[in-house]
Amino acid sequence: MSRDHVQSVERSAREAEPSPHAAEAPFLELLARGAAVDAYEEPVLLARAEAQPAARITALEHAKLLALRVRSELEGRRRREAELSALFETAHDLAGLRDLDAVLPAIVQRARSLLGTDVAYLSLHDAARGDTYMRVTEGSVAARFQQLRLGMGEGLGGLVAQTARPYVTDDYFRDGRFQHTTTIDAGVQDEGLVAILGVPLMLGPQVIGVLFAADRRARVFEREQIALLGSFAALAAAAIDTANLLTETRSALAGLERANEIIQDRSAVIERASDIHDRLAELVLRGGGVHDVAAAVAEVLDGTVEFTESAHTPAPALEASRAEGHAVRHGTDWIAAVTAGGELLGALVLRGHPHLDPVDQRTLERAAMVTSLLLLARRSAAEAEQRVRGELLDDLLDARDRDARLLRERATRLHADLDATHVVLAARLDAPAVDADQEAAARRRLWSAASHLAATRRGLAAARDGGTVLLLPLVRGDSVTDLARRTARHLGTAVHEAVTVGASAAVDDLAARPDAVAAAYVEARRCLDALRILGRTGDGAAADDFGFLGLLLAGDRDIAGFVDRTVGQVVAYDERRGTDLLHTLDAYFACGMSPARTKDELHVHVNTVAQRLERVGRLLGDDWQSPARVLEIQLALRLHRLSAA
C-alpha cells in the first residue's frame, strides 16, 4: 500500500467521529485484497512515522495481529480446500484407471504435484524376497537410485515399511534414526536428495509399499503435509489394490475363457469319442467288417484310416504299439497294433495326422480293439463254417448211404451245389518239417487256406491223410488240369510253401452217387503220388495228363477214353473217308518204323506209305513219332484192336 493512500485513510479517520474499530479498517482492506504479509506492517510504520498517539499505535498493532491471524486462517482453509479438491480429483482420476502400470505413475505424479517437491517415488513390497524395491519415480535423474532395493529397516523407506509409520528427515545423511547402507546412500547421493518424507501404503494392517516426497535442499515438512501425503497414500493403496483386483479379475476371466475353450474342445472330443463308440457298437452288432471300422474312425477323426497287414506296417512302430498297448506316432501317422491273445493280426493306421488329441488317440486304440474282436469273430465263424464244410465232405467220402435229400440241404446251407460237376483234389505240403509241432502247424495252415478257397469257390474242404482234400465245382470252359494247377499255385502262395495237387476226373450228381466222391478221391490221391514220384512237387495234374499211365491212375480205367484221346482222330478219319490209316500205323510200328519194309508188308508203293504217314502226322501232331507218343499210340492201337474183337 502506498504512503499517500495510508495518510489519506488516517486523515479521514481523524476527521470522522471516534470509533473503537478505526484501527482495524486498513487491515480489513488488506485482507479483502489478499495482500502479502509484509504489507500488514505499513499502517503501523506510518503511524509511528507521523508520531501518532501511543494508544493509536497499540490499537494498530493489535489489529495487525488479528488480521494476520485471520489471514493465516483463511490461507489454511484455502490450502485445505485445495488439498481436499486435489484428493477428490486424485480419487476420481485413480478410480478411472484400470491398469497397475497406469495407476502407479499417476500416484507418484500427483504426490509430487501436491507437495511441490523435486522428486516423488514409490516402492512396493516383494513378499518373495522380504524387501521393497523401487517401482516408479517422478523427477529422478539417477539410474542407480531408480534401481534401489531396501531391506526391512534399511534406509528411511525400509524403516517406514518395517514400522508401518511415516518418517521424515530434514537432512538424510545426518539422520541416525535409520540404518544407512552403502548401496542406499550411494543411490540417494547420486540423486542429490536431502529432505525426504515417507509414508506407508497400507491395506488393512499390511504394508504394501512406501510413498515418498523428497527435495534436493533442506526442508521442513509440516504436519499438514505429512497428513496430506498420508491421506493420499491411503487413496493410492486403495487404487493399487483395485488395480491388482482388476488385474486378477481379468486374469481369472482370461483363465475362465481359456477353461471354457478347453471345456468346449474337450466336449467336442468327448462327443467324437461317444459318436465313434456308438458307431463301433453298431458295427459289431450288425456284423460289420474291418474296413467298416476304419471308415467310421476316419470320418470321426477327419483323416484317412486303413487296416494294414503286419508285413506292410513299419515294424518298429508296430512292435512299440504292441508292447505298450497304445497307439504310437510314426512320422505324420499314428499306428495302433491289432492284437488278440499275443497274436499280431495287423494294425490300424491313421494317415497324415501328426497332432492327435489324447482322447482321439484312445479312440484309435479302441477301434483297434474292436477290429481285433471282429477279426476273431470272423475267424471263429470261418473256422466253424470250415468244420461244417469238412464234416459234409467227410460224410460224402465215408458214409455212402447218406440220404441224398439231406445232403443237398446241408450243401445248400453252405452255398454249395451237389448237382453241379465237381472235381476232387488231393493237396499236400512237400517241404520237410523240422519237428512234429512244426508239421502240425503247417498242416493247419494248409487246411485253413484250402477251407478259405473252398468257401470262396462254393466248394468243400477237409483235412485227411496228412493233407487236405477239396471238392470244387468245375466251371464250364475250364479243364481239370487247369483247376489242379491253379489250386496248387493258390495254396502254395497262401502257406508260403510248395503244395502239390492231384485231381480226379470230373464227377456229376454227387448227392445221388455219394460213392463217386470216394472213388474220385482215390484217383486224385494216385495222381498226387505220381506227381511226387516224378519229382513234380508244387505242381498240379489230373490222370489225363499222364498218358497211358493215367490208365493205371484212373479209378474207373477209362480205356475207351484213352483210345479216343490218343488215336481217336485217326479212327474217325478212317470211318469218314474209308481209308486204312490205322492198319498202316500197325504195319509201320511192326516193321520197326521203316517205310521201306512197311511198303512190302502192305504191298504198296513207298510214296503211298509216306503220304499216309504224313496224313497221320497232321491228325496226331508233329510229335507223334517221339518215343513217349509212340508208346502211347501203340498201346492205344492194341487196346482198340482188342475192344473191336
Side-chain angles (χ1 to χ4, degrees):
M1 181 181 293
S2 67
R3 184 180 297 277
D4 293 338
H5 179 69
V6 173
Q7 291 175 351
S8 174
V9 171
E10 292 296 329
R11 282 194 299 271
S12 299
R14 285 195 298 272
E15 294 171 357
E17 294 182 0
S19 171
H21 302 293
E24 300 175 359
F27 299 104
L28 290 175
E29 184 178 353
L30 291 174
L31 287 172
R33 63 186 179 88
V37 174
D38 296 341
Y40 286 82
E41 294 291 337
E42 292 182 3
V44 178
L45 293 175
L46 183 59
R48 287 175 178 170
E50 293 177 350
Q52 293 184 14
R56 173 67 176 172
I57 293 175
T58 300
L60 287 173
E61 286 284 356
H62 181 68
K64 181 192 75 172
L65 293 177
L66 291 175
L68 287 175
R69 287 175 60 187
V70 171
R71 181 182 182 279
S72 177
E73 185 68 24
L74 290 175
E75 285 189 353
R77 290 184 178 183
R78 282 196 298 269
R79 186 172 62 252
R80 285 192 294 273
E81 288 178 0
E83 291 171 352
L84 288 174
S85 177
L87 287 174
F88 287 138
E89 290 178 2
T90 299
H92 181 270
D93 293 344
L94 294 179
L97 297 174
R98 294 292 183 268
D99 187 2
L100 189 61
D101 291 333
V103 168
L104 297 182
I107 292 172
V108 174
Q109 291 170 6
R110 187 72 69 178
R112 183 187 180 199
S113 174
L114 286 175
L115 273 70
T117 56
D118 297 326
V119 180
Y121 50 98
L122 182 146
S123 64
L124 291 180
H125 179 60
D126 187 342
R129 298 181 56 171
D131 62 4
T132 60
Y133 63 96
M134 202 71 73
R135 180 67 169 79
V136 180
T137 64
E138 176 68 21
S140 172
V141 295
R144 181 158 52 177
F145 176 78
Q146 296 168 8
Q147 298 172 2
L148 282 177
R149 298 189 74 96
L150 292 78
M152 289 298 179
E154 295 179 353
L156 186 142
L159 186 60
V160 173
Q162 185 180 43
T163 62
R165 294 175 55 190
Y167 274 85
V168 61
T169 179
D170 300 335
D171 190 339
Y172 176 84
F173 290 99
R174 294 183 181 181
D175 197 331
R177 293 176 299 167
F178 46 83
Q179 180 183 350
H180 288 267
T181 67
T182 303
T183 303
I184 297 174
D185 288 355
V188 173
Q189 189 173 13
D190 287 352
E191 195 62 56
L193 300 180
V194 178
I196 304 175
L197 168 61
V199 296
L201 299 176
M202 304 288 296
L203 282 179
Q206 182 181 4
V207 179
I208 64 171
V210 180
L211 180 61
F212 299 89
D215 265 342
R216 295 188 175 93
R217 63 185 182 281
R219 171 178 175 174
V220 177
F221 288 96
E222 299 176 358
R223 176 180 293 180
E224 291 82 0
Q225 292 174 323
I226 297 173
L228 175 62
L229 191 61
S231 298
F232 186 75
L235 288 176
I240 292 174
D241 186 46
T242 301
N244 285 331
L245 289 175
L246 289 173
T247 301
E248 292 174 1
T249 301
R250 282 196 295 266
S251 177
L253 288 175
L256 288 175
E257 290 178 357
R258 176 58 183 158
N260 185 52
E261 292 177 359
I262 294 174
I263 290 172
Q264 290 179 349
D265 181 63
R266 293 295 89 193
S267 177
V269 171
I270 292 172
E271 286 181 4
R272 289 201 303 271
S274 176
D275 183 23
I276 192 60
H277 179 272
D278 293 342
R279 293 193 182 193
L280 294 179
E282 181 185 357
L283 283 174
V284 172
L285 291 176
R286 65 179 176 85
V290 172
H291 298 292
D292 295 326
V293 173
V297 177
E299 183 177 351
V300 172
L301 298 185
D302 192 22
T304 301
V305 179
E306 61 181 11
F307 174 78
T308 60
E309 300 290 343
S310 302
H312 302 117
T313 308
L318 183 61
E319 286 301 324
S321 176
R322 179 184 185 180
E324 298 173 8
H326 297 289
V328 298
R329 181 175 171 181
H330 179 72
T332 59
D333 302 337
W334 284 85
I335 296 176
V338 177
T339 61
E343 181 182 359
L344 190 58
L345 305 177
L348 277 186
V349 182
L350 174 62
R351 304 287 187 189
H353 216 307
H355 304 294
L356 192 62
D357 186 274
V359 177
D360 290 337
Q361 180 181 342
R362 286 192 290 273
T363 295
L364 183 63
E365 295 165 0
R366 189 177 297 111
M369 185 183 303
V370 172
T371 300
S372 67
L373 292 176
L374 291 177
L375 289 175
L376 287 178
R378 187 175 68 180
R379 176 187 293 180
S380 298
E383 291 176 353
E385 182 178 342
Q386 290 168 3
R387 285 193 296 271
V388 174
R389 290 178 182 274
E391 291 171 357
L392 176 57
L393 183 54
D394 285 335
D395 287 345
L396 289 172
L397 289 170
D398 299 331
R400 304 179 183 181
D401 56 348
R402 291 281 182 173
D403 183 87
R405 181 180 59 82
L406 293 178
L407 291 174
R408 285 192 179 91
E409 290 179 356
R410 291 171 60 187
T412 301
R413 286 194 293 270
L414 296 173
H415 305 288
D417 182 10
L418 296 184
D419 293 327
T421 301
H422 285 74
V423 176
V424 177
L425 302 109
R428 182 172 293 181
L429 292 168
D430 291 300
V434 176
D435 52 37
D437 291 338
Q438 184 179 3
E439 183 178 2
R443 289 179 179 179
R444 284 195 298 270
R445 290 197 303 272
L446 177 60
W447 172 74
S448 178
S451 298
H452 178 72
L453 176 62
T456 57
R457 291 289 307 275
R458 295 180 176 241
L460 304 174
R464 181 167 286 241
D465 299 327
T468 303
V469 56
L470 297 93
L471 181 66
L472 298 181
L474 184 64
V475 181
R476 180 177 298 178
D478 200 3
S479 69
V480 174
T481 300
D482 290 339
L483 178 60
R485 290 176 177 171
R486 192 163 57 246
T487 302
R489 288 195 302 270
H490 180 91
L491 296 179
T493 302
V495 300
H496 306 291
E497 293 184 32
V499 177
T500 307
V501 176
S504 71
V507 291
D508 298 311
D509 199 11
L510 300 182
R513 297 189 307 113
D515 57 331
V517 178
Y521 174 60
V522 173
E523 180 179 342
R525 282 288 308 279
R526 289 174 180 169
C527 290
L528 173 62
D529 293 339
L531 284 171
R532 300 179 69 185
I533 291 171
L534 295 174
R536 291 173 57 181
T537 57
D539 197 2
D544 292 346
D545 300 317
F546 293 96
F548 74 91
L549 185 59
L551 289 177
L552 305 178
L553 301 176
D556 56 359
R557 301 294 193 273
D558 185 12
I559 295 176
F562 172 74
V563 172
D564 183 63
R565 289 190 299 273
T566 307
V567 295
Q569 294 190 29
V570 177
V571 174
Y573 188 86
D574 281 346
E575 291 176 352
R576 289 196 310 270
R577 301 294 181 90
T579 56
D580 199 12
L581 296 181
L582 283 177
H583 181 58
T584 302
L585 277 175
D586 278 333
Y588 179 67
F589 288 128
C591 295
M593 300 177 64
S594 169
R597 293 170 58 188
T598 302
K599 73 174 179 63
D600 295 337
E601 178 70 21
L602 297 176
H603 305 288
V604 296
H605 195 274
V606 68
N607 290 338
T608 302
V609 174
Q611 290 174 359
R612 291 178 180 178
L613 295 178
E614 181 181 358
R615 173 64 62 185
V616 169
R618 286 199 297 270
L619 293 173
L620 299 183
D622 294 337
D623 64 338
W624 72 276
Q625 295 192 71
S626 64
R629 291 292 305 281
V630 166
L631 179 60
E632 290 184 357
I633 293 171
Q634 290 186 74
L635 180 58
L637 291 174
R638 179 69 59 86
L639 292 173
H640 181 264
R641 285 198 302 272
L642 292 174
S643 62

